[in-house]
Amino acid sequence: SSRRTERPRVASRPAKPASGRQAARTAADPGQTQQRTPSDSRRMLICTLGDQTLDVVVRLSGPLATGGDTAAEIHVAPGGQGANVAAWAVFLGASARSIGKRGVDDAGRLVRAGLEARGVKVLGPEAGRNAVICSLVSPDGARSMAADRASSADLSAEEIDAAWLDGCDHLFVSGYALLREPARSAAVRTVELARAHGAPVSLDLST
């Protein structure tokens, strides 16, 4: 019979599985299950560009009490489309680099430590506040998000280091990177560098 591998516990960043977005928005936790290892000597290198957020997921026990307290189960973990893809790539046996702009605050330090603990190489400049996403999940599974992209939206083309794409086999770009400048130009520059290495590029248009 086929062997069934348990999927890792994830820190959810909202999306319904049927839409195909959840896989790109949930960070794998390798501490919950054994990572797969490739059979060949060189692992595929996946580079991702996108926000490196601190995800705060609040699972409510009931309707939110206006002006009062509501019991909830709260989880905090690194997230963001690009960062999550990088974490899952490592879990599936690839090498991964996450490129983005982080804050110099506690949130930024937590995100970096969390991604590195999952085997992801974290790259990009640091300045200001880190992006934080708060997801409210009702008892029936409906999700509402409060998003603060902070410094992540300010990544510029001039801050992209060509060396970050050395050896890149595939580049994943988050759709959020294309919403406004200067991050849009940073995304275009990263794509140009990846293509110069002959790497294909995928883009997640969900936002």
Side-chain angles (χ1 to χ4, degrees), residues 45-49 99 165 168-173 187 190-192 194 199-203:
L45 173 58
I46 305 296
C47 296
T48 70
L49 178 76
I99 301 170
L165 282 301
C168 177
D169 293 309
H170 187 97
L171 173 67
F172 169 89
V173 178
T190 306
V191 168
E192 291 173 346
V201 177
S202 60
L203 173 65

Side-chain angles (χ1 to χ4, degrees), residues 84-178:
N84 291 337
V85 167
W88 277 104
V90 171
F91 170 72
L92 293 172
S95 297
R97 299 172 185 167
S98 174
I99 301 170
K101 193 164 189 173
R102 296 172 309 287
V104 293
D105 53 4
D106 288 341
R109 287 185 283 274
L110 284 171
V111 168
R112 183 183 190 107
L115 289 174
E116 289 179 342
R118 290 162 169 81
V120 176
K121 186 169 185 178
V122 181
L123 301 170
E126 298 179 331
R129 296 180 300 108
N130 202 85
V132 178
I133 306 295
C134 182
S135 172
L136 296 176
V137 186
S138 66
D140 63 0
R143 301 167 187 256
S144 300
M145 292 173 58
D148 178 6
R149 295 188 65 203
S151 63
S152 65
D154 297 326
L155 180 66
S156 67
E158 293 73 24
E159 292 174 310
I160 300 298
D161 188 336
W164 297 342
L165 282 301
D166 286 350
C168 177
D169 293 309
H170 187 97
L171 173 67
F172 169 89
V173 178
S174 166
Y176 285 95
L178 304 178

